[in-house]
Amino acid sequence: MGREEPGRKISPVKSFVAGGAAGACLLFAGHPLDTIKVRLQTQPKASPSHHVLYRGTYDCFRKTVSKEGFLGLYKGMGAPLAGVAPMMAISFFGFGLGKQLLQSDPNIPHTHSQIFLSGMLGGVFTTVIVAPGERIKCLLQVQSTSGQLKYAGPVDCAIRLFKEQGIRSVYKGTIITLIRDVPSNGLYFMTYEYVKCLLTPEGESVHHLSTPKIILAGGTAGILNWVIALPPDVLKSNFQTAPDGRYRGLIDVLRELLREEGARGLYKGFTAVMLRAFPANAACFLGFEMALKGLNWLAPNW
């Protein structure tokens, strides 16, 4: 197993800039399957008088492309495009800051628990941007399915939410977003760092890892991240797209979902999430590492 490079200075500022590049890579690679995931999660359940609109991931993909064209898979991308780059920038900044705060001696490698806690800090930081961005994204993705085009786009959606019920409406689902992102972010970064070390030959530095190995580490981290993040993500999608007043809070959403669909309902969209998780997060970490290398070359003392 490889090791961290002794004495390497951690720069939260470089992590912030490289994280922005990582976010852009993640979005373009993963948004189509995110659209499918949200539509599968929020479609009404089957009943004697109502058939489900989508029978699964491929059926949702086929019907979306047939009805809306390939660009239909990128519906609602405006909000995350404005938010995902700064979101990932802040996430990687929080992670870098956490590592810096927890490292008393640069010559001593971080423990797995320190990496996990640093990742959790990144999850806390990102919620400020993630919660409203996810709320707007989900509403735009779902309105195409319902056929009622209430919002013209992400900006119109944000303005109308704010005018109708104020800032609380824009940030609806923040607590659920925290529950989803804080522990999963910790596992996300810890898995990435662990797999990188695992793939690095003994005596070599993880910072010299090849591109295929970075892709494998990033993709694996993305999959494990969503294994624990998906149940709260399902609850979040249902809560954020429900009419005002339908749910009193997280427990109410969970109770209704379990009553109507059972525990399997918490993993709606699992196939779409897993298909998206590997390539999107592989692209994310590859973008981060390449941007960081470029920054280290341009400004080694920054």
Side-chain angles (χ1 to χ4, degrees):
M1 184 181 288
R3 54 178 173 78
E4 285 189 338
E5 191 173 306
R8 175 176 278 257
K9 181 184 176 184
I10 297 167
S11 171
V13 176
K14 282 183 181 176
S15 294
F16 178 85
V17 177
C25 292
L26 182 146
L27 180 65
F28 283 107
H31 192 80
L33 280 163
D34 184 73
T35 298
I36 292 171
K37 178 205 72 175
V38 170
R39 291 185 177 186
L40 288 172
Q41 288 176 347
T42 56
Q43 68 172 334
K45 73 182 192 73
S47 67
S49 60
H50 177 80
H51 295 289
V52 292
L53 183 59
Y54 309 117
R55 294 190 300 275
T57 301
Y58 177 72
D59 189 50
C60 183
F61 170 82
R62 184 178 59 80
K63 287 179 177 175
T64 299
V65 173
S66 175
K67 184 179 178 182
E68 304 169 48
F70 188 76
L71 290 178
L73 295 169
Y74 283 90
K75 282 282 174 67
M77 199 176 77
L81 187 60
V84 77
M87 176 197 80
M88 293 305 292
I90 292 171
S91 178
F92 277 93
F93 172 80
F95 176 59
L97 180 63
K99 287 174 72 177
Q100 188 181 63
L101 292 173
L102 292 170
Q103 187 180 47
S104 55
D105 184 352
N107 293 305
I108 301 175
H110 291 89
T111 64
H112 295 315
S113 60
Q114 287 175 330
I115 296 291
F116 183 77
L117 290 171
S118 300
M120 288 179 72
L121 181 63
V124 173
F125 278 20
T126 57
T127 302
V128 176
I129 292 177
V130 171
E134 289 270 310
R135 164 98 156 124
I136 292 165
K137 180 201 72 173
C138 288
L139 286 172
L140 291 173
Q141 287 172 327
V142 171
Q143 75 168 359
S144 296
T145 303
S146 66
Q148 297 176 344
L149 299 179
K150 183 178 179 181
Y151 307 109
V155 176
D156 179 56
C157 182
I159 291 172
R160 293 183 66 172
L161 287 174
F162 182 77
K163 283 183 177 179
E164 287 170 8
Q165 295 192 35
I167 196 68
R168 287 186 63 184
S169 180
V170 178
Y171 274 87
K172 182 180 179 182
T174 298
I175 300 300
I176 304 179
T177 304
L178 277 169
I179 292 170
R180 181 193 71 174
D181 287 352
V182 173
S184 64
N185 226 49
L187 181 64
Y188 183 57
F189 283 106
M190 186 181 74
T191 302
Y192 177 66
E193 295 289 338
Y194 177 76
V195 175
K196 274 207 309 179
C197 289
L198 200 64
L199 295 172
T200 304
E202 187 67 38
E204 293 188 15
S205 169
V206 294
H207 301 292
H208 301 144
L209 207 61
S210 66
T211 297
K213 290 180 179 179
I214 291 172
I215 288 172
L216 179 59
T220 304
I223 287 173
L224 289 182
N225 166 68
W226 277 105
V227 166
I228 67 167
L230 187 55
D233 185 65
V234 172
L235 298 177
K236 181 193 69 64
S237 293
N238 281 275
F239 183 70
Q240 289 184 319
T241 58
D244 292 319
R246 178 176 176 182
Y247 299 117
R248 294 187 297 275
L250 171 62
I251 301 300
D252 198 30
V253 183
L254 178 62
R255 188 185 298 116
E256 182 174 317
L257 189 69
L258 290 175
R259 184 178 66 248
E260 293 184 354
E261 302 179 49
R264 290 183 62 184
L266 291 170
Y267 279 91
K268 282 196 295 186
F270 181 81
T271 303
V273 168
M274 290 300 121
L275 286 172
R276 171 185 179 270
F278 192 96
N281 290 284
C284 174
F285 277 109
L286 183 61
F288 174 78
E289 296 287 358
M290 297 202 49
L292 195 59
K293 282 183 180 178
L295 290 170
N296 286 332
W297 179 75
L298 288 169
N301 299 317
W302 188 24

